[in-house]
Amino acid sequence: MASKGAASDTGGVKPMAIGGRMVRERERLFGMSDVERAWRKQFLKDQILAPHEPVHGGYRAYCTRFWIGKGLMTFSLLYATFYYFKYNTNDWTRKGGWRVIKSRRAVVPGEANYPAVSDRTKPSDYAARGFKEQRKTMASKGAASDTGGVKPMAIGGRMVRERERLFGMSDVERAWRKQFLKDQILAPHEPVHVPQYHQELTNPIRRFYQWPLNKLWEKLTPSIGGYRAYCTRFWIGKGLMTFSLLYATFYYFKYNTNDWTRKGGWRVIKSRRAVVPGEANYPAVSDRTKPSDYAARGFKESPI
């Protein structure tokens, strides 16, 4: 570190401004000597870049790269804000979250709806946090019930079990069983994929990252069939997730484990191999001979 001048942008040399004091217009107005004029002239000349400079690309390319990045960040921030206020604001179903309160519009004398009396007439109307509106929706749609509030029943009856059929079946039960088995045969166009149903079950974020594999599923279905196309889509997704997890784990343990340069990170400790009498390298004496060899955390092996 001392030899390479680490933690210093100038390699340990005291930085200075090559423009001198004449870089400021006020200083130049006070007067300039011939030496200062020559210095200023050379300084301005040095600011003119060669045709091949800068070497990292053109100005427009850099601006494009810069604004694309800022645009993506802005879009992500706006989308996250929109998603939060649409799905995660505070209501009667949760404790946390921001609460959105809309003020009543001011009504002055002379307007048609003056005086605007509050629609809150009962104590339960206050601090309801959307409970009444959601309760009406739940009542109309049968929310929190797979059968819309109707008590579920098995249409197969007791004859769906083989042991029950072996006890004997009446003619009515045989007819019921026959019709039940017939109803299990799907029509040629079944099962039916309903996009609206899928949209109700998945949030926008899931639909966003599922879109590429869903398109692959649609392309493969005519050629290899629905089941094989779905299996292909499923295992490609799981494979990508597994690969990403393994790669992230490998990358972390290769570049971000704990050593002498950082406080955090997992520390990887390798145990010494057990050596028993009779082996060639017995007794295996520790290679740590000085106090500084302990808890070095890779300091001695570091290139700097």
Side-chain angles (χ1 to χ4, degrees), residues 140-215:
S140 61
K141 295 185 177 181
S145 173
D146 295 332
T147 59
V150 181
K151 185 177 180 179
M153 60 175 291
I155 62 174
R158 70 181 183 88
M159 295 303 159
V160 75
R161 295 183 290 274
E162 184 179 8
R163 184 178 293 274
E164 295 287 341
R165 297 195 297 272
L166 292 176
F167 288 155
M169 300 170 63
S170 64
D171 295 338
V172 176
E173 290 172 337
R174 291 183 185 278
W176 181 276
R177 176 68 178 171
K178 180 180 179 181
Q179 184 63 38
F180 173 76
L181 294 177
K182 186 178 180 180
D183 292 340
Q184 308 310 305
I185 302 174
L186 299 179
H189 67 282
E190 294 180 309
V192 180
H193 176 68
V194 183
Q196 291 79 4
Y197 181 71
H198 174 73
Q199 187 171 354
E200 288 294 330
L201 293 180
T202 54
N203 58 52
I205 296 178
R206 288 189 63 191
R207 293 199 296 270
F208 174 75
Y209 68 73
Q210 287 178 354
W211 182 83
L213 290 178
N214 287 341
K215 287 297 180 183

XYZ file of all heavy atoms in Angstrom, residues 140-215:
624
model
N -71.181 -9.806 -2.720
C -71.728 -9.963 -4.067
C -70.994 -11.026 -4.872
O -71.588 -11.732 -5.682
C -71.671 -8.626 -4.807
O -70.318 -8.187 -4.918
N -69.694 -11.168 -4.642
C -68.901 -12.120 -5.416
C -68.659 -13.438 -4.688
O -68.084 -14.361 -5.263
C -67.548 -11.504 -5.780
C -67.652 -10.313 -6.716
C -66.279 -9.836 -7.129
C -66.373 -8.686 -8.122
N -65.031 -8.223 -8.548
N -69.070 -13.512 -3.447
C -68.800 -14.734 -2.701
C -67.331 -14.911 -2.406
O -66.777 -15.998 -2.560
N -66.655 -13.830 -2.027
C -65.227 -13.905 -1.762
C -64.954 -14.797 -0.563
O -65.810 -15.009 0.294
C -64.675 -12.502 -1.513
N -63.753 -15.317 -0.479
C -63.316 -16.202 0.598
C -64.116 -17.502 0.616
O -64.219 -18.165 1.636
C -63.401 -15.504 1.952
N -64.703 -17.871 -0.521
C -65.435 -19.132 -0.622
C -65.313 -19.639 -2.046
O -65.627 -18.931 -2.998
C -66.912 -18.939 -0.253
O -67.640 -20.125 -0.505
N -64.850 -20.887 -2.202
C -64.701 -21.460 -3.538
C -66.039 -21.808 -4.171
O -66.111 -22.060 -5.378
C -63.825 -22.715 -3.467
C -62.407 -22.388 -3.031
O -61.973 -21.253 -3.293
O -61.747 -23.263 -2.437
N -67.087 -21.851 -3.370
C -68.403 -22.240 -3.892
C -69.413 -21.106 -3.823
O -70.619 -21.347 -3.938
C -68.938 -23.441 -3.098
O -69.038 -23.075 -1.713
C -68.017 -24.637 -3.237
N -68.930 -19.864 -3.614
C -69.847 -18.735 -3.580
C -70.780 -18.744 -2.392
O -71.897 -18.226 -2.464
N -70.360 -19.320 -1.288
C -71.191 -19.354 -0.096
C -72.059 -20.590 0.024
O -72.700 -20.809 1.051
N -72.107 -21.437 -1.028
C -72.902 -22.664 -0.992
C -72.073 -23.783 -0.372
O -70.876 -23.898 -0.630
C -73.364 -23.059 -2.414
C -74.202 -24.329 -2.380
C -74.134 -21.913 -3.047
N -72.704 -24.614 0.443
C -71.986 -25.706 1.082
C -71.479 -26.687 0.023
O -72.251 -27.170 -0.809
C -72.903 -26.432 2.067
C -72.182 -27.508 2.869
C -73.113 -28.151 3.881
C -72.375 -29.225 4.677
N -73.253 -29.866 5.685
N -70.189 -26.993 0.005
C -69.659 -27.880 -1.032
C -70.084 -29.330 -0.812
O -70.366 -29.756 0.308
C -68.143 -27.720 -0.886
C -67.952 -27.342 0.544
C -69.141 -26.508 0.909
N -70.120 -30.077 -1.900
C -70.451 -31.498 -1.835
C -69.704 -32.221 -2.945
O -69.330 -31.619 -3.959
C -71.954 -31.728 -1.992
C -72.523 -31.222 -3.305
S -74.260 -31.612 -3.539
C -74.198 -33.367 -3.744
N -69.471 -33.523 -2.757
C -68.798 -34.341 -3.760
C -69.851 -34.952 -4.677
O -70.691 -35.744 -4.231
C -67.971 -35.425 -3.088
N -69.843 -34.590 -5.953
C -70.884 -35.084 -6.869
C -70.668 -36.550 -7.206
O -71.568 -37.201 -7.740
C -70.919 -34.241 -8.157
C -69.578 -34.347 -8.905
C -71.235 -32.789 -7.844
C -69.592 -33.667 -10.247
N -69.489 -37.092 -6.893
C -69.257 -38.508 -7.163
C -69.980 -39.424 -6.188
O -70.171 -40.610 -6.471
N -70.402 -38.877 -5.057
C -71.083 -39.700 -4.065
C -70.143 -40.703 -3.418
O -68.923 -40.664 -3.591
N -70.737 -41.641 -2.681
C -69.897 -42.619 -1.998
C -69.332 -43.648 -2.964
O -68.370 -44.345 -2.645
C -70.690 -43.314 -0.896
C -71.775 -44.242 -1.374
C -72.530 -44.864 -0.216
N -73.536 -45.822 -0.669
C -73.294 -47.107 -0.890
N -72.080 -47.597 -0.713
N -74.265 -47.913 -1.294
N -69.910 -43.752 -4.171
C -69.453 -44.742 -5.137
C -68.136 -44.364 -5.801
O -67.640 -45.100 -6.648
C -70.522 -44.953 -6.216
C -71.801 -45.546 -5.673
S -71.470 -47.109 -4.833
C -72.924 -47.250 -3.792
N -67.579 -43.236 -5.431
C -66.285 -42.866 -5.977
C -65.180 -43.748 -5.395
O -64.099 -43.871 -5.978
C -66.002 -41.367 -5.693
C -65.633 -41.150 -4.237
C -64.913 -40.832 -6.616
N -65.468 -44.424 -4.272
C -64.499 -45.321 -3.642
C -64.799 -46.768 -4.040
O -65.955 -47.222 -3.974
C -64.533 -45.164 -2.122
C -64.073 -43.786 -1.649
C -64.054 -43.704 -0.133
N -65.408 -43.713 0.403
C -66.163 -42.637 0.549
N -65.689 -41.451 0.182
N -67.382 -42.729 1.052
N -63.771 -47.492 -4.413
C -63.951 -48.861 -4.901
C -64.540 -49.774 -3.831
O -65.372 -50.649 -4.124
C -62.604 -49.408 -5.377
C -62.689 -50.794 -6.000
C -61.349 -51.300 -6.483
O -60.331 -50.631 -6.202
O -61.309 -52.365 -7.124
N -64.148 -49.606 -2.576
C -64.662 -50.452 -1.511
C -66.187 -50.319 -1.382
O -66.898 -51.305 -1.134
C -63.981 -50.103 -0.188
C -64.381 -50.988 0.978
C -63.616 -50.595 2.228
N -62.205 -50.883 2.093
C -61.655 -52.066 2.370
N -62.418 -53.078 2.766
N -60.365 -52.249 2.244
N -66.687 -49.090 -1.567
C -68.131 -48.877 -1.485
C -68.853 -49.592 -2.632
O -69.941 -50.153 -2.449
C -68.439 -47.377 -1.524
C -67.926 -46.588 -0.331
C -68.738 -46.870 0.920
O -69.878 -47.360 0.798
O -68.227 -46.605 2.031
N -68.251 -49.579 -3.815
C -68.898 -50.238 -4.957
C -68.928 -51.751 -4.786
O -69.838 -52.432 -5.265
C -68.168 -49.862 -6.255
C -68.229 -48.384 -6.592
C -67.838 -48.112 -8.025
N -66.467 -48.490 -8.317
C -65.410 -47.705 -8.164
N -65.570 -46.475 -7.688
N -64.196 -48.127 -8.476
N -67.921 -52.301 -4.105
C -67.890 -53.751 -3.894
C -68.979 -54.210 -2.927
O -69.355 -55.390 -2.924
C -66.518 -54.175 -3.370
C -65.350 -54.027 -4.364
C -64.035 -54.373 -3.695
C -65.572 -54.912 -5.585
N -69.492 -53.316 -2.112
C -70.575 -53.681 -1.203
C -71.895 -53.893 -1.940
O -72.834 -54.458 -1.390
C -70.765 -52.593 -0.136
C -69.660 -52.556 0.881
C -69.373 -51.394 1.574
C -68.906 -53.690 1.152
C -68.357 -51.363 2.520
C -67.888 -53.662 2.091
C -67.609 -52.498 2.774
N -71.962 -53.402 -3.179
C -73.191 -53.530 -3.951
C -73.723 -52.171 -4.357
O -73.597 -51.194 -3.615
N -74.331 -52.104 -5.564
C -74.841 -50.847 -6.091
C -76.249 -51.064 -6.625
O -76.532 -52.063 -7.306
C -73.937 -50.324 -7.216
C -72.498 -50.062 -6.803
S -71.403 -49.720 -8.206
C -72.119 -48.207 -8.836
N -77.122 -50.133 -6.336
C -78.476 -50.190 -6.879
C -78.476 -49.661 -8.308
O -77.475 -49.129 -8.796
C -79.420 -49.365 -6.004
O -79.050 -47.994 -6.049
N -79.624 -49.801 -8.988
C -79.716 -49.307 -10.367
C -79.533 -47.792 -10.426
O -78.924 -47.258 -11.362
C -81.076 -49.703 -10.958
C -81.211 -51.216 -11.097
O -80.156 -51.891 -11.151
O -82.353 -51.710 -11.147
N -80.061 -47.107 -9.430
C -79.908 -45.644 -9.397
C -78.438 -45.272 -9.224
O -77.920 -44.356 -9.879
C -80.765 -45.047 -8.265
C -80.534 -43.540 -8.163
C -82.237 -45.358 -8.490
N -77.752 -45.996 -8.352
C -76.334 -45.709 -8.119
C -75.489 -46.048 -9.345
O -74.519 -45.353 -9.660
C -75.843 -46.488 -6.903
C -76.430 -45.965 -5.592
C -76.096 -46.844 -4.410
O -75.808 -48.047 -4.623
O -76.115 -46.337 -3.265
N -75.867 -47.124 -10.053
C -75.133 -47.465 -11.274
C -75.324 -46.387 -12.341
O -74.380 -46.013 -13.046
C -75.603 -48.821 -11.805
C -75.196 -49.989 -10.934
C -75.632 -51.312 -11.541
N -75.348 -52.421 -10.642
C -74.163 -53.015 -10.533
N -73.150 -52.589 -11.283
N -73.991 -54.013 -9.687
N -76.546 -45.897 -12.469
C -76.801 -44.827 -13.441
C -76.035 -43.557 -13.057
O -75.475 -42.855 -13.913
C -78.301 -44.552 -13.517
N -76.011 -43.253 -11.766
C -75.260 -42.077 -11.286
C -73.771 -42.235 -11.572
O -73.114 -41.303 -12.043
C -75.515 -41.911 -9.789
C -74.823 -40.713 -9.190
C -73.540 -40.648 -8.760
C -75.371 -39.417 -8.992
N -73.246 -39.407 -8.285
C -74.357 -38.612 -8.417
C -76.638 -38.858 -9.227
C -74.565 -37.286 -8.082
C -76.839 -37.535 -8.885
C -75.812 -36.754 -8.324
N -73.257 -43.432 -11.307
C -71.836 -43.691 -11.532
C -71.497 -43.601 -13.016
O -70.457 -43.049 -13.400
C -71.486 -45.080 -10.994
C -70.059 -45.533 -11.240
C -69.069 -44.729 -10.443
N -67.707 -45.200 -10.661
C -66.628 -44.564 -10.225
N -66.749 -43.438 -9.540
N -65.431 -45.056 -10.448
N -72.365 -44.111 -13.856
C -72.138 -44.063 -15.300
C -72.096 -42.619 -15.797
O -71.218 -42.239 -16.586
C -73.241 -44.845 -16.013
C -73.099 -44.870 -17.524
C -74.224 -45.665 -18.162
C -74.093 -45.666 -19.683
N -75.201 -46.433 -20.328
N -73.040 -41.826 -15.325
C -73.076 -40.422 -15.740
C -71.868 -39.657 -15.194
O -71.306 -38.790 -15.873
C -74.369 -39.769 -15.254
C -74.560 -38.331 -15.719
C -74.661 -38.223 -17.228
O -75.270 -39.085 -17.881
N -74.054 -37.186 -17.800
N -71.455 -40.003 -13.980
C -70.300 -39.338 -13.375
C -69.033 -39.596 -14.190
O -68.245 -38.684 -14.459
C -70.126 -39.822 -11.932
C -68.875 -39.318 -11.271
C -68.781 -38.022 -10.809
C -67.771 -40.156 -11.120
C -67.625 -37.562 -10.209
C -66.613 -39.695 -10.522
C -66.540 -38.397 -10.060
N -68.804 -40.850 -14.592
C -67.624 -41.176 -15.395
C -67.684 -40.513 -16.764
O -66.657 -40.094 -17.312
C -67.511 -42.697 -15.545
C -67.237 -43.475 -14.252
C -67.221 -44.972 -14.530
C -65.922 -43.031 -13.626
N -68.893 -40.422 -17.306
C -69.043 -39.784 -18.613
C -68.707 -38.298 -18.534
O -68.137 -37.723 -19.471
C -70.472 -39.980 -19.109
C -70.711 -39.476 -20.518
C -72.142 -39.758 -20.958
C -72.377 -39.247 -22.377
N -73.774 -39.510 -22.817
N -69.047 -37.687 -17.404
C -68.784 -36.253 -17.246
C -67.299 -35.942 -17.077
O -66.897 -34.775 -17.201
C -69.551 -35.708 -16.033
C -71.056 -35.728 -16.260
O -71.470 -35.790 -17.433
O -71.811 -35.697 -15.263
N -66.493 -36.958 -16.761
C -65.057 -36.717 -16.591
C -64.322 -36.621 -17.923
O -63.165 -36.193 -17.969
C -64.415 -37.830 -15.747
C -65.107 -38.095 -14.418
C -65.350 -36.837 -13.619
O -64.432 -36.074 -13.346
N -66.603 -36.608 -13.248
N -64.980 -37.025 -19.004
C -64.353 -36.970 -20.329
C -64.415 -35.528 -20.831
O -65.495 -34.951 -20.971
C -65.064 -37.919 -21.310
C -65.029 -39.355 -20.770
C -64.415 -37.848 -22.684
C -65.835 -40.334 -21.595
N -63.268 -34.971 -21.092
C -63.200 -33.577 -21.524
C -63.541 -33.453 -23.000
O -63.318 -34.375 -23.793
C -61.800 -33.012 -21.279
C -61.314 -32.981 -19.827
C -59.903 -32.417 -19.760
C -62.252 -32.181 -18.944
N -64.065 -32.310 -23.354
C -64.324 -32.006 -24.756
C -62.995 -31.757 -25.471
O -61.969 -31.499 -24.833
C -65.232 -30.781 -24.862
N -62.988 -31.839 -26.810
C -61.716 -31.650 -27.536
C -61.047 -30.305 -27.266
O -59.821 -30.195 -27.336
C -62.136 -31.777 -29.007
C -63.382 -32.602 -28.974
C -64.084 -32.225 -27.713
N -61.838 -29.267 -26.975
C -61.247 -27.940 -26.770
C -60.869 -27.689 -25.312
O -60.399 -26.597 -24.976
C -62.229 -26.858 -27.225
C -63.467 -26.777 -26.383
N -64.512 -27.677 -26.511
C -63.822 -25.919 -25.394
C -65.460 -27.370 -25.648
N -65.073 -26.304 -24.960
N -61.086 -28.678 -24.446
C -60.741 -28.505 -23.040
C -59.362 -29.089 -22.751
O -58.932 -30.023 -23.434
C -61.797 -29.176 -22.153
C -63.161 -28.516 -22.231
C -64.179 -29.212 -21.351
O -64.304 -30.455 -21.461
O -64.839 -28.526 -20.569
N -58.631 -28.605 -21.726
C -59.011 -27.508 -20.826
C -58.919 -26.144 -21.505
O -58.101 -25.947 -22.399
C -57.987 -27.626 -19.692
C -56.794 -28.240 -20.335
C -57.330 -29.189 -21.378
N -59.748 -25.232 -21.082
C -59.837 -23.907 -21.679
C -58.998 -22.933 -20.855
O -59.138 -22.867 -19.630
C -61.301 -23.424 -21.736
C -61.372 -22.031 -22.353
C -62.145 -24.408 -22.529
N -58.113 -22.244 -21.538
C -57.289 -21.230 -20.871
C -58.000 -19.884 -20.946
O -58.278 -19.377 -22.041
C -55.916 -21.134 -21.531
C -55.053 -20.048 -20.962
N -54.546 -20.084 -19.684
C -54.623 -18.874 -21.503
C -53.839 -19.001 -19.447
N -53.872 -18.246 -20.537
N -58.302 -19.322 -19.792
C -59.006 -18.042 -19.718
C -57.999 -16.970 -19.306
O -57.529 -16.966 -18.159
C -60.168 -18.102 -18.705
C -60.931 -16.783 -18.697
C -61.099 -19.260 -19.038
N -57.618 -16.081 -20.216
C -56.615 -15.055 -19.866
C -57.043 -14.177 -18.695
O -56.216 -13.793 -17.864
C -56.475 -14.244 -21.166
C -56.967 -15.152 -22.251
C -58.035 -15.983 -21.623
N -58.333 -13.844 -18.627
C -58.790 -12.981 -17.540
C -58.622 -13.663 -16.184
O -58.293 -13.014 -15.188
C -60.264 -12.596 -17.746
C -60.510 -11.671 -18.929
C -60.525 -12.412 -20.255
O -60.423 -13.645 -20.285
N -60.654 -11.680 -21.349
N -58.835 -14.973 -16.163
C -58.667 -15.717 -14.910
C -57.208 -15.698 -14.462
O -56.897 -15.494 -13.287
C -59.156 -17.145 -15.107
C -59.059 -18.011 -13.872
C -59.910 -17.815 -12.790
C -58.110 -19.027 -13.789
C -59.825 -18.606 -11.658
C -58.014 -19.822 -12.662
C -58.879 -19.607 -11.600
O -58.776 -20.381 -10.479
N -56.300 -15.890 -15.426
C -54.869 -15.836 -15.112
C -54.466 -14.445 -14.639
O -53.648 -14.294 -13.725
C -54.067 -16.232 -16.347
C -52.587 -16.075 -16.183
N -51.823 -16.924 -15.417
C -51.726 -15.137 -16.670
C -50.561 -16.538 -15.439
N -50.474 -15.457 -16.192
N -55.053 -13.424 -15.235
C -54.716 -12.055 -14.854
C -55.189 -11.735 -13.439
O -54.544 -10.979 -12.714
C -55.333 -11.079 -15.854
C -54.906 -9.631 -15.653
C -55.356 -8.743 -16.778
O -55.903 -9.219 -17.769
N -55.134 -7.459 -16.652
N -56.311 -12.318 -13.042
C -56.803 -12.070 -11.691
C -55.942 -12.762 -10.634
O -55.845 -12.295 -9.502
C -58.252 -12.557 -11.571
C -59.260 -11.696 -12.310
C -59.386 -10.310 -11.721
O -59.174 -10.168 -10.504
O -59.668 -9.364 -12.474
N -55.319 -13.876 -11.002
C -54.542 -14.650 -10.029
C -53.103 -14.179 -9.906
O -52.416 -14.539 -8.947
C -54.559 -16.136 -10.405
C -55.909 -16.854 -10.296
C -55.752 -18.308 -10.699
C -56.462 -16.766 -8.878
N -52.599 -13.433 -10.870
C -51.201 -13.010 -10.859
C -51.124 -11.490 -10.866
O -51.904 -10.823 -11.552
C -50.445 -13.566 -12.078
O -51.142 -13.194 -13.276
C -50.361 -15.079 -12.013
N -50.158 -10.969 -10.119
C -49.971 -9.522 -10.081
C -49.117 -9.069 -11.264
O -48.522 -9.895 -11.966
C -49.331 -9.100 -8.750
C -47.995 -9.776 -8.521
O -47.117 -9.739 -9.374
N -47.830 -10.405 -7.369
N -49.035 -7.769 -11.527
C -48.288 -7.284 -12.703
C -46.821 -7.686 -12.719
O -46.261 -7.917 -13.793
C -48.449 -5.761 -12.610
C -49.699 -5.552 -11.833
C -49.763 -6.679 -10.851
N -46.195 -7.783 -11.561
C -44.777 -8.150 -11.531
C -44.593 -9.592 -12.002
O -43.700 -9.898 -12.797
C -44.212 -7.952 -10.112
C -44.269 -6.476 -9.722
C -42.785 -8.468 -10.018
C -43.783 -6.193 -8.325
N -45.444 -10.493 -11.532
C -45.345 -11.888 -11.970
C -45.637 -12.014 -13.459
O -44.965 -12.766 -14.168
C -46.320 -12.754 -11.172
C -45.918 -12.978 -9.726
C -46.801 -14.019 -9.086
N -46.664 -15.314 -9.732
C -47.471 -16.347 -9.515
N -48.496 -16.216 -8.687
N -47.277 -17.490 -10.123
N -46.629 -11.292 -13.925
C -46.936 -11.358 -15.358
C -45.779 -10.815 -16.184
O -45.534 -11.289 -17.298
C -48.208 -10.561 -15.657
C -49.463 -11.161 -15.058
C -50.702 -10.632 -15.752
N -50.867 -9.207 -15.568
C -51.534 -8.646 -14.562
N -52.092 -9.420 -13.633
N -51.654 -7.336 -14.469
N -45.033 -9.854 -15.645
C -43.912 -9.274 -16.388
C -42.789 -10.293 -16.578
O -42.298 -10.489 -17.689
C -43.395 -8.036 -15.646
C -42.153 -7.448 -16.248
C -42.219 -6.723 -17.422
C -40.915 -7.630 -15.642
C -41.072 -6.180 -17.987
C -39.766 -7.093 -16.195
C -39.852 -6.368 -17.370
N -42.377 -10.964 -15.477
C -41.253 -11.886 -15.642
C -41.685 -13.252 -16.171
O -40.842 -14.057 -16.566
C -40.451 -12.027 -14.337
C -41.131 -12.718 -13.180
C -41.334 -14.097 -13.176
C -41.529 -12.005 -12.056
C -41.933 -14.731 -12.107
C -42.130 -12.631 -10.981
C -42.325 -13.994 -11.014
O -42.918 -14.635 -9.952
N -42.989 -13.535 -16.199
C -43.459 -14.775 -16.806
C -43.712 -14.633 -18.303
O -43.876 -15.647 -18.992
C -44.757 -15.228 -16.126
C -44.584 -15.781 -14.727
C -45.904 -16.170 -14.097
O -46.977 -15.925 -14.665
N -45.847 -16.765 -12.917
N -43.731 -13.414 -18.809
C -44.101 -13.182 -20.205
C -43.186 -13.895 -21.200
O -43.689 -14.525 -22.140
C -44.121 -11.676 -20.480
C -44.537 -11.334 -21.873
C -45.801 -11.225 -22.363
C -43.661 -11.068 -22.978
N -45.782 -10.907 -23.689
C -44.483 -10.802 -24.099
C -42.286 -11.035 -23.131
C -43.951 -10.503 -25.349
C -41.757 -10.736 -24.376
C -42.581 -10.472 -25.467
N -41.835 -13.856 -21.069
C -41.004 -14.540 -22.076
C -41.275 -16.038 -22.165
O -41.418 -16.591 -23.266
C -39.566 -14.248 -21.597
C -39.679 -13.036 -20.757
C -41.003 -13.139 -20.083
N -41.351 -16.720 -21.022
C -41.581 -18.164 -21.059
C -43.012 -18.495 -21.475
O -43.249 -19.548 -22.087
C -41.275 -18.771 -19.685
C -39.794 -18.786 -19.300
C -39.612 -19.363 -17.910
C -38.977 -19.582 -20.308
N -43.954 -17.633 -21.175
C -45.319 -17.864 -21.654
C -45.388 -17.784 -23.174
O -46.116 -18.552 -23.820
C -46.273 -16.850 -21.025
C -46.547 -17.142 -19.562
O -46.331 -18.259 -19.099
N -47.015 -16.147 -18.830
N -44.643 -16.854 -23.757
C -44.595 -16.770 -25.217
C -43.943 -18.015 -25.812
O -44.377 -18.525 -26.852
C -43.829 -15.508 -25.636
C -44.606 -14.221 -25.417
C -45.862 -14.211 -26.273
C -46.658 -12.931 -26.069
N -47.921 -12.938 -26.854
